[in-house]
Amino acid sequence: MALIQTFIALLGDSAVLRSKEDLAGHVTDWRGRYQGQAQCVVFPSTTAQVAEVVKLCHAAQVPVVAQGGNTSLCEGAIPRTDLPETVVINLGRMRQVRAVDPANNSMVVDAGCVLQTVQETARSHGRLYPVSLGAEGSCQIGGNIATNAGGTGVLRYGNTRENVLGLEVVLPDGRIWEGLYGLRKNNTGFDLKHLFIGSEGSLGIITGATLKLHPLPTARAMAWLAVESPQAAIDMLARFQSRCSASLSAFEMLNDVQLNIVLNHVADRRAPLSPSYPWHVLVELTDTCDEALLAAALEETLSAAAEEGMLLDAAIATNGKQQADWWEVRHSVSEGNKKAGIGINTDPAVPLSAIPAFISQATAAAHRIVPGAPIIIVAHLGDGNVHFIPQMQFAQWQALSPAEQDQLSRRVKQAVNEVACALAGTFSAEHGIGQVLTDEMALFKPAVELDLMHAIKRAIDPQQRFNPGRLLPPAP
Amino acid sequence: MALIQTFIALLGDSAVLRSKEDLAGHVTDWRGRYQGQAQCVVFPSTTAQVAEVVKLCHAAQVPVVAQGGNTSLCEGAIPRTDLPETVVINLGRMRQVRAVDPANNSMVVDAGCVLQTVQETARSHGRLYPVSLGAEGSCQIGGNIATNAGGTGVLRYGNTRENVLGLEVVLPDGRIWEGLYGLRKNNTGFDLKHLFIGSEGSLGIITGATLKLHPLPTARAMAWLAVESPQAAIDMLARFQSRCSASLSAFEMLNDVQLNIVLNHVADRRAPLSPSYPWHVLVELTDTCDEALLAAALEETLSAAAEEGMLLDAAIATNGKQQADWWEVRHSVSEGNKKAGIGINTDPAVPLSAIPAFISQATAAAHRIVPGAPIIIVAHLGDGNVHFIPQMQFAQWQALSPAEQDQLSRRVKQAVNEVACALAGTFSAEHGIGQVLTDEMALFKPAVELDLMHAIKRAIDPQQRFNPGRLLPPAP
């Protein structure tokens, strides 16, 4: 209790939540699957306050969990059940845009800025911050960075990692690393920002960041394709890459199962092409040139492919409304899947050349456990990232005990991930590890790689108190 | 000597150099400024052999220096004078292209592959490996990665760091980290490759890499501009970025001093515009589209700028020969500067918005030490990377003792770097640290950042035997 009183003296009463009711939203993950415990949730307003809080926690030897918008899909931003002394540090009051430098194509922001605020601020300066994902209205940039968030802009602009120039980080002992560099080139020692990006709060608390901005695209063209197979989609991707280069901004693939779920379960969604085709692709080009040039490149590429018999069918969006509607179809997959049944979600990536093999082998592996289950597939194809989702009917699922559900889900996921890893892929492309995939870390990562990670963890957080039990499996 | 005999038994006699004559080329840096010592230089042919050699060195407690093409500008790839027991491991016999995967836009190579081989192999598969620099005919990809090499492709494609997907590394204890991932997305723990990229042999020996390939551009357009000031060049850069986006592939700035040196000292170089203009810019657009589109974008941007009075003059290259000739002018700066006098080279970067202030303040700072010295400026402007080079006449220089030369050179460099750092810049944009800038590391880097680097070094190389005394200043 002494610690809480010190926090109140430091931050003010309203910045230290401690009642069960006040804590509730901060100790439960947003899918409502895990309920942790904490002695309090504090809301510092400045980097100095974060550092003070961390120093106090360090002295008191209590665990620390950093929290942004709490939108982790891996239960990575909430405290554990078995460590009730944990202090949660929520960055939500640190939401200033500190500076925008259009000439340098960069901006400096507090970690608690909501992603959408970052996007809008960039746009108001005629620039693009390109990371875009479903939770952008509530997720915070600090959390995006701590998890190296992916999303739909990766093909053209890279992951969050590729869009961060510098960081400000509070270390586990409360010292502040002032690394807010805004440079494209800086070869002065180990590039520490890359260690903190994607470290999920296990090495430090990101309190500020210098972000990379891009020219704002002014033109867009979009097509919806139907193809025979994943291989045909990959062949089309190669066509678009060699013809349209960097203006290719999205190449998203859905199978018929996924498309029909959206059409049947989400209101007002219409398919651009017949949903009886087996595989569908949304292609988008964006650039700063004349829109007619993009349209011409799109038409030329599609005509050539159609002549060679690479396409079953294709449609080109004729206006902005139609473009938006087609993106709505793509963005409705989560809603549709939730209504249609119980999806056993996975997030693997494989080299693009291995995608057809992955899909057929993973289907066989899943069907050995859940024979005949429909397989939902929605892929950021250009990134090799295939969300492969065996689907259970509600009745099937409810017939199982919670323990059986958990066990079945784990078995299916591990079977799918095993296929991905055997094809030189990964079991977590964009969602991260949190506490739900630490078993996979132990199973699939080379021992030397885990040893290196543990050595780094010990070097930077020797007391192992930052987000304990997350990201890394237990040390051997 | 027992160690050398073991190496011979392991690698064969021809793979273990030990005579003074044989060592010479491997213990002297390519500028001939530093002469180190080593007990031998070994040439393993496989990763397993590298690992064996490192294990033996580890057991014998001798220092290890990894060496590629030995083209470091910072004396980073040669052994020290004061550690004659050092073993140099040269990667030059590991030069296989292990695999090319065009569908995945990736290739796997041995560390000893020469950069030009990598570029040509990619091109033969219709792909681009975009890192390009002066030493590309002899530098090795492993060295490029260990130093995060920059060059002229950074504006469009990023540094070497941005073009590496995975690594294979032999650690200081001889274990092999097999991290040859070929994925665009992989959020499974700390991203270790970024720790080894740019670590200059201080954490491990890179033996293989998975590289990122790009669509091969098929069209090019180029202009040469004369502008009033660096600010005018930056304004033009912003115009090109917002109009041409990713097709802007080079934006290189020279001042009149630099241009005139090339014209006067390198045979057959002709200026596209009058060398009496104060600032010159080479702009290049490349893409996969129709060449006429690039030409149109270039002309449109230049016409608008000319009407607004942003340009003193401009010329557009009319054919490939002229484009090549103009690049030759740019690429002749090192040769010209070497013939024209003694250049005190620096390699800072600053945020683009700070470039005008940097140039004026650095000029003043340099002139306080060497009054009236001509200032050569050649900048990768789009990257904020300004090679700012106060020039001494040969006679002036030769009047100084070697100690005085060294001292003067250090004073000038530190004065320039101090200006860069005060403007939120860096003292080494692309050349790295080696052993020539460790003082600057101690001077300009935040203490917390150095502490973190030392902690990581201790965690991965606890005996501090990998490239000792390079990259990091002595631990406090």
Side-chain angles (χ1 to χ4, degrees):
Chain A
M1 290 311 288
L3 191 60
I4 287 182
Q5 292 310 316
T6 319
F7 290 154
I8 293 172
L10 179 71
L11 306 175
D13 191 70
S14 75
V16 185
L17 304 185
R18 56 247 190 234
S19 75
K20 199 176 166 189
E21 297 71 33
D22 287 344
L23 291 187
H26 298 284
V27 299
T28 311
D29 81 294
W30 82 277
R31 296 210 262 201
R33 294 182 183 180
Y34 186 83
Q35 168 93 39
Q37 286 198 77
Q39 63 169 304
C40 61
V41 181
V42 301
F43 290 81
S45 298
T46 64
T47 302
Q49 285 185 347
V50 175
E52 273 310 304
V53 168
V54 169
K55 273 181 197 164
L56 291 164
C57 293
H58 184 70
Q61 307 192 351
V62 298
V64 170
V65 172
Q67 186 171 73
N70 192 13
T71 62
S72 169
L73 296 172
C74 307
E75 304 166 17
I78 43 161
R80 282 165 53 158
T81 301
D82 59 344
L83 295 170
E85 69 274 26
T86 299
V87 171
V88 175
I89 301 181
N90 187 297
L91 280 296
R93 287 198 188 174
M94 289 188 62
R95 49 177 179 250
Q96 298 296 311
V97 173
R98 299 190 197 172
V100 182
D101 185 346
N104 193 47
N105 282 309
S106 66
M107 65 193 289
V108 183
V109 296
D110 278 351
C113 283
V114 168
L115 174 54
Q116 197 173 316
T117 306
V118 171
Q119 295 165 338
E120 287 167 1
T121 305
R123 192 169 294 123
S124 73
H125 288 83
R127 298 292 183 277
L128 176 75
Y129 180 70
V131 177
S132 174
L133 44 91
E136 62 196 25
S138 61
C139 66
Q140 295 172 14
I141 192 74
N144 290 175
I145 297 168
T147 59
N148 185 30
T152 52
V154 177
L155 177 63
R156 166 77 178 83
Y157 297 101
N159 300 280
T160 295
R161 179 181 300 285
E162 282 80 33
N163 292 286
V164 172
L165 294 172
L167 290 180
E168 177 188 83
V169 179
V170 174
L171 301 174
D173 59 9
R175 290 183 304 166
I176 300 168
W177 172 45
E178 292 173 352
L180 287 174
Y181 302 104
L183 304 168
R184 258 68 182 173
K185 282 178 162 180
N186 186 11
N187 278 347
T188 52
F190 310 144
D191 198 334
L192 298 175
K193 68 173 178 288
H194 283 298
L195 206 47
F196 294 102
I197 298 170
S199 67
E200 302 190 11
S202 68
L203 297 178
I205 299 178
I206 294 163
T207 52
T210 309
L211 303 176
K212 190 193 287 185
L213 304 181
H214 301 263
L216 194 59
T218 51
R220 176 191 304 238
M222 196 186 284
W224 190 281
L225 321 179
V227 293
E228 188 61 48
S229 64
Q231 184 60 54
I234 291 166
D235 293 342
M236 283 308 300
L237 173 66
R239 288 291 182 102
F240 275 103
Q241 285 181 321
S242 65
R243 173 62 181 81
C244 305
S245 195
S247 64
L248 180 63
S249 55
F251 202 91
E252 302 277 310
M253 182 179 79
L254 301 76
N255 68 350
D256 52 352
V257 180
Q258 177 65 82
L259 180 59
N260 280 295
I261 285 176
V262 170
L263 301 179
N264 294 334
H265 293 274
V266 184
D268 301 325
R269 298 289 174 270
R270 265 178 299 274
L273 298 174
S274 162
S276 64
Y277 290 123
W279 296 92
H280 296 257
V281 174
L282 183 160
V283 191
E284 185 192 61
L285 307 179
T286 56
D287 210 331
T288 54
C289 64
D290 192 339
E291 198 145 86
L293 297 179
L294 287 188
L298 189 63
E299 280 165 35
E300 182 191 316
T301 310
L302 292 179
S303 301
E307 271 178 37
E308 296 174 47
M310 295 173 71
L311 296 172
L312 296 177
D313 203 351
I316 293 179
T318 53
N319 56 50
K321 168 75 170 61
Q322 205 166 41
Q323 291 173 344
D325 286 348
W326 292 2
W327 266 122
E328 276 298 313
V329 172
R330 168 62 186 84
H331 285 315
S332 298
V333 299
S334 297
E335 185 185 343
N337 293 347
K338 200 178 279 187
K339 289 178 177 166
I342 298 291
I344 302 178
N345 291 289
T346 66
D347 174 35
V350 294
L352 268 81
S353 43
I355 285 177
F358 167 74
I359 290 175
S360 68
Q361 291 176 28
T363 301
H367 281 167
R368 279 193 287 275
I369 304 170
V370 282
I375 305 291
I376 302 167
I377 292 177
V378 50
H380 308 295
L381 198 78
D383 314 323
N385 183 189
V386 181
H387 296 294
F388 180 97
I389 312 171
Q391 189 199 33
M392 308 287 288
Q393 292 169 29
F394 287 119
Q396 271 183 308
W397 191 250
Q398 279 146 11
L400 302 175
S401 71
E404 287 169 333
Q405 290 171 354
D406 185 63
Q407 203 201 3
L408 180 69
S409 168
R410 281 176 186 267
R411 278 178 65 208
V412 171
K413 286 181 186 184
Q414 282 192 4
V416 170
N417 289 331
E418 203 171 307
V419 171
C421 291
L423 292 165
T426 180
F427 54 93
S428 183
E430 59 179 4
H431 295 168
I433 304 301
Q435 64 183 13
V436 306
L437 287 174
T438 52
D439 285 356
E440 272 78 357
M441 287 288 281
L443 262 177
F444 295 121
K445 279 283 183 183
V448 172
E449 189 168 335
L450 288 177
D451 279 358
L452 281 168
M453 292 188 195
H454 282 296
I456 290 163
K457 171 76 172 170
R458 281 191 303 271
I460 298 180
D461 180 21
Q463 301 187 340
Q464 310 265 334
R465 293 223 174 74
F466 261 44
N467 218 2
R470 270 64 181 267
L471 189 68
L472 297 178
Chain B
M1 290 313 288
L3 192 58
I4 288 181
Q5 292 311 318
T6 319
F7 291 153
I8 293 172
L10 180 69
L11 307 174
D13 191 70
S14 74
V16 185
L17 305 186
R18 53 242 190 241
S19 75
K20 200 176 165 190
E21 298 68 35
D22 286 344
L23 292 186
H26 297 284
V27 300
T28 311
D29 80 294
W30 82 276
R31 297 210 262 201
R33 295 182 183 181
Y34 186 84
Q35 168 91 39
Q37 287 198 77
Q39 63 169 306
C40 61
V41 180
V42 300
F43 291 80
S45 298
T46 64
T47 302
Q49 286 185 347
V50 175
E52 273 311 303
V53 168
V54 169
K55 273 181 197 163
L56 292 164
C57 292
H58 184 70
Q61 307 193 350
V62 298
V64 170
V65 173
Q67 186 171 73
N70 192 12
T71 61
S72 169
L73 296 171
C74 307
E75 303 166 16
I78 43 163
R80 283 165 54 160
T81 300
D82 60 344
L83 295 170
E85 69 274 27
T86 298
V87 171
V88 175
I89 300 181
N90 188 297
L91 281 294
R93 287 198 189 175
M94 288 187 62
R95 48 177 181 253
Q96 298 295 313
V97 174
R98 299 190 198 173
V100 182
D101 184 346
N104 194 47
N105 281 307
S106 66
M107 66 193 285
V108 183
V109 297
D110 278 352
C113 283
V114 168
L115 173 53
Q116 198 173 315
T117 307
V118 171
Q119 296 165 338
E120 287 167 2
T121 305
R123 190 168 295 122
S124 73
H125 287 83
R127 298 292 184 276
L128 175 75
Y129 179 70
V131 176
S132 173
L133 44 91
E136 62 197 26
S138 60
C139 67
Q140 295 171 12
I141 193 73
N144 290 176
I145 297 169
T147 60
N148 186 27
T152 51
V154 178
L155 177 63
R156 166 78 178 83
Y157 297 101
N159 300 280
T160 296
R161 180 182 299 286
E162 282 80 32
N163 293 286
V164 173
L165 293 172
L167 290 180
E168 175 188 85
V169 179
V170 173
L171 301 174
D173 59 8
R175 289 182 304 164
I176 301 167
W177 172 45
E178 290 172 354
L180 288 173
Y181 302 105
L183 304 167
R184 259 66 183 173
K185 283 177 159 179
N186 186 9
N187 278 346
T188 52
F190 310 144
D191 198 334
L192 298 174
K193 70 173 177 287
H194 283 298
L195 205 49
F196 293 101
I197 299 170
S199 67
E200 301 188 11
S202 68
L203 297 178
I205 299 179
I206 294 163
T207 51
T210 310
L211 305 175
K212 192 194 285 184
L213 305 180
H214 302 263
L216 194 60
T218 51
R220 174 191 304 238
M222 196 187 282
W224 189 282
L225 321 179
V227 293
E228 187 61 50
S229 63
Q231 184 60 54
I234 291 166
D235 293 342
M236 283 308 301
L237 173 65
R239 289 291 182 102
F240 275 102
Q241 285 181 321
S242 64
R243 173 64 181 81
C244 305
S245 195
S247 64
L248 178 65
S249 56
F251 201 90
E252 301 277 311
M253 182 178 79
L254 301 75
N255 68 353
D256 51 353
V257 179
Q258 178 64 82
L259 180 59
N260 279 295
I261 285 175
V262 170
L263 300 180
N264 295 334
H265 293 275
V266 184
D268 300 325
R269 298 289 174 267
R270 265 176 299 275
L273 299 174
S274 163
S276 63
Y277 290 124
W279 297 92
H280 296 256
V281 174
L282 183 161
V283 192
E284 185 192 62
L285 307 179
T286 55
D287 211 333
T288 52
C289 62
D290 191 340
E291 198 146 86
L293 297 179
L294 286 188
L298 189 62
E299 280 166 33
E300 182 191 315
T301 310
L302 292 179
S303 301
E307 271 178 35
E308 296 173 47
M310 295 172 71
L311 296 172
L312 296 176
D313 203 350
I316 293 178
T318 52
N319 55 50
K321 169 75 169 61
Q322 205 164 41
Q323 291 173 343
D325 287 349
W326 293 3
W327 266 123
E328 275 298 312
V329 172
R330 168 62 187 85
H331 285 314
S332 300
V333 299
S334 297
E335 184 184 344
N337 293 347
K338 200 178 278 189
K339 290 179 178 167
I342 298 292
I344 302 178
N345 291 288
T346 66
D347 174 35
V350 294
L352 269 80
S353 44
I355 285 177
F358 167 73
I359 290 175
S360 69
Q361 292 175 29
T363 301
H367 282 167
R368 279 194 288 275
I369 303 169
V370 282
I375 305 291
I376 302 167
I377 292 177
V378 51
H380 308 295
L381 199 77
D383 315 323
N385 183 189
V386 181
H387 294 294
F388 180 97
I389 311 170
Q391 188 199 34
M392 309 286 289
Q393 293 169 28
F394 287 117
Q396 269 182 309
W397 190 251
Q398 279 146 10
L400 301 175
S401 71
E404 287 169 333
Q405 291 172 351
D406 185 64
Q407 202 200 3
L408 181 70
S409 168
R410 280 175 186 268
R411 279 178 64 209
V412 171
K413 287 182 187 185
Q414 282 194 4
V416 170
N417 288 331
E418 203 170 307
V419 171
C421 291
L423 291 165
T426 181
F427 54 93
S428 184
E430 60 178 3
H431 294 169
I433 304 301
Q435 65 183 11
V436 305
L437 287 173
T438 52
D439 287 355
E440 273 76 358
M441 287 289 280
L443 262 175
F444 297 120
K445 279 283 183 183
V448 172
E449 189 168 335
L450 288 177
D451 279 0
L452 281 169
M453 291 186 196
H454 282 297
I456 290 163
K457 171 74 172 170
R458 282 192 303 269
I460 298 180
D461 179 21
Q463 301 187 340
Q464 310 266 332
R465 293 223 173 75
F466 261 45
N467 219 0
R470 271 62 182 269
L471 190 69
L472 296 178

